[in-house]
């Protein structure tokens, strides 16, 4: 117990002075929650920040001193020693974790139970009925607005698509920050050394540790195929995956390929953009992009596709549903929120809007008419 408490103190002492705005702007947390989000997005820091002023003990379920022990027994003992709550990181590493979380919630009413994991799939794989007990919270990748705060200490308001008032006036300094953000600013660990090496380690751990948990029947050939898909997305200027050729090349059935793609999307590696109105369960979508646009820089991938992935990421993390337009003459994407839909086109500084309501332009500073600079999209959340 003392070892866990000391480790938690070390983590709290190492927390940066400026935290993500998502972390500090989030108000009171529910008594029981499951926090999910991509690896390295700041989930542990989020929960440690909100534990301040409370007698809560943090531990990770993948701690070698804990693996193999009963989660229920560990947490019960923690509560018996006077703690009012626990933070359990990497929850899927605990054996029968969902059944134990359900029992802990029922047997210790009023105690704080916060769990976290790298994928929202963890909620689907749980055997216990957690939906009525634990509030799901999904932590997004970091916005340009948050990156600016960490870099400058200045907090700017969120931007609403089409708003006349700018959250901040663009200058050379801001545009330079935006250039850097697109290369490495979506995860707080960008300030650490060897960002690219750590980013690649995140991809490797996601492939080798997380995906096999959510898809136990996975084989070495499946893992190689997923790496090939990542390589295809990095090298292609047309972000699409051909099901027939992949199945033939890798001797895999279509159903298994769809499963792999679904899990890769669920753990935050890729984002599948469906065609407008497409409701088919088995679909690779109209376009396939990296879920984190920084992957294009780390993997030295196509920059035009990075621009598209960046905008899709911005709208998706701002709460929009994003669909690829059936008629590309009318625009690239249909974005919808609160039953309001609009069309957008994406391109360089001279890109025309076609028939879209808005055109998102790269390498521009101020909005003009229906043309919006790319940096503003990063201020929407």
């Amino acid at each position: 117990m003392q070892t866990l408490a000391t480790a938690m103190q070390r983590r709290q002492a190492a927390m940066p002075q400026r935290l993500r705005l998502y972390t500090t702007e989030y108000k009171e947390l529910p008594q029981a929650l499951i926090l999910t989000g991509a690896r390295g997005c700041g989930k542990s820091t989020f929960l440690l920040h909100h534990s301040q002023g409370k007698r809560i003990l943090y531990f990770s379920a993948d701690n070698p001193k804990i693996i193999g022990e009963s989660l229920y027994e560990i947490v019960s003992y923690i509560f018996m020693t006077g703690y009012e709550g626990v933070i359990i990181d990497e929850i899927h590493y605990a054996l029968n974790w969902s059944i134990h979380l359900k029992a802990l919630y029922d047997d210790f009413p009023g105690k704080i139970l916060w769990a976290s994991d790298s994928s929202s799939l963890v909620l689907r794989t749980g055997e216990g009925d957690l939906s009525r007990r634990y509030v799901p919270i999904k932590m997004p990748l970091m916005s340009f607005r948050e990156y600016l705060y960490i870099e400058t200490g200045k907090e700017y308001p969120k931007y609403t698509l089409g708003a006349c008032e700018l959250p901040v006036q663009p200058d050379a300094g801001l545009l330079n920050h935006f250039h850097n953000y697109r290369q490495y600013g979506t995860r707080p660990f960008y300030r650490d050394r060897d960002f690219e090496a750590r980013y690649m380690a995140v991809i490797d751990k996601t492939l080798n540790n997380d995906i096999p948990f959510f898809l136990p029947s996975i084989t070495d050939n499946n893992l190689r195929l997923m790496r090939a898909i990542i390589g295809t997305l990095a090298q292609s200027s047309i972000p699409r995956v051909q099901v027939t050729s992949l199945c033939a090349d890798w001797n895999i059935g279509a159903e298994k390929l769809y499963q792999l793609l679904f899990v890769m999307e669920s753990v935050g590696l890729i984002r599948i953009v469906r065609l407008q109105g497409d409701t088919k369960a088995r679909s690779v979508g109209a376009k396939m992009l990296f879920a984190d646009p920084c992957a294009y820089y780390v993997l030295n991938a196509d920059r035009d596709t990075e621009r598209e992935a960046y905008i899709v990421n911005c709208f998706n993390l701002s709460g929009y549903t994003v669909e690829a337009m059936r008629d590309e003459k009318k625009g690239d994407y249909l974005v919808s929120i609160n039953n309001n839909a609009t069309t957008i086109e994406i391109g360089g500084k001279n890109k025309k809007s076609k028939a879209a309501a808005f055109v998102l332009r790269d390498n521009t500073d101020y909005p003009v008419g229906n043309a919006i600079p790319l940096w503003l999209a990063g201020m929407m959340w």
Side-chain angles (χ1 to χ4, degrees), residues 66-124:
I66 291 174
I67 288 179
E69 300 292 332
S70 164
L71 181 64
Y72 183 91
E73 294 300 328
I74 293 171
V75 176
S76 297
Y77 181 76
I78 291 172
F79 288 157
M80 291 299 100
T81 59
Y83 283 92
E84 61 178 302
V86 291
I87 297 171
I88 312 168
D89 209 352
E90 300 283 11
I91 187 65
H92 76 259
Y93 279 92
L95 184 64
N96 298 322
W97 64 270
S98 57
I99 296 173
H100 289 220
L101 280 187
K102 174 183 177 294
L104 288 165
Y105 181 94
D106 293 341
D107 294 350
F108 294 93
K111 292 292 187 181
I112 295 172
L113 292 157
W114 295 344
S116 68
D117 208 88
S118 56
S119 173
S120 57
L121 267 183
V122 76
L123 296 171
R124 299 190 186 188

Side-chain angles (χ1 to χ4, degrees), residues 283-349:
S283 174
V284 294
K287 295 182 179 180
M288 192 176 298
L289 305 164
F290 286 121
D292 182 354
C294 288
Y296 290 90
Y297 286 90
V298 174
L299 299 172
N300 195 27
D302 186 83
R303 292 294 185 267
D304 290 336
T305 309
E306 176 274 334
R307 181 164 53 202
E308 206 162 318
Y310 163 75
I311 288 298
V312 169
N313 178 68
C314 288
F315 278 94
N316 184 274
L317 298 185
S318 302
Y320 286 81
T321 298
V322 182
E323 298 174 294
M325 294 286 290
R326 289 188 176 274
D327 186 352
E328 293 186 355
K329 294 180 180 179
K330 295 182 178 179
D332 288 327
Y333 295 100
L334 177 73
V335 295
S336 311
I337 190 169
N338 300 327
N339 296 319
N340 294 317
T342 191
T343 53
I344 62 171
E345 180 76 8
I346 305 166
K349 64 183 301 183

Side-chain angles (χ1 to χ4, degrees), residues 110-159:
K111 292 292 187 181
I112 295 172
L113 292 157
W114 295 344
S116 68
D117 208 88
S118 56
S119 173
S120 57
L121 267 183
V122 76
L123 296 171
R124 299 190 186 188
T125 58
E127 297 178 11
D129 181 13
L130 302 178
S131 59
R132 293 183 293 105
R133 296 171 173 83
Y134 288 80
V135 177
I137 299 175
K138 186 171 183 179
M139 192 171 197
L141 293 172
M142 197 159 68
S143 67
F144 178 48
R145 172 175 165 266
E146 293 178 282
Y147 177 85
L148 279 177
Y149 172 71
I150 292 177
E151 287 294 302
T152 68
K154 296 178 182 178
E155 185 173 348
Y156 298 107
K158 296 177 183 177
Y159 171 73

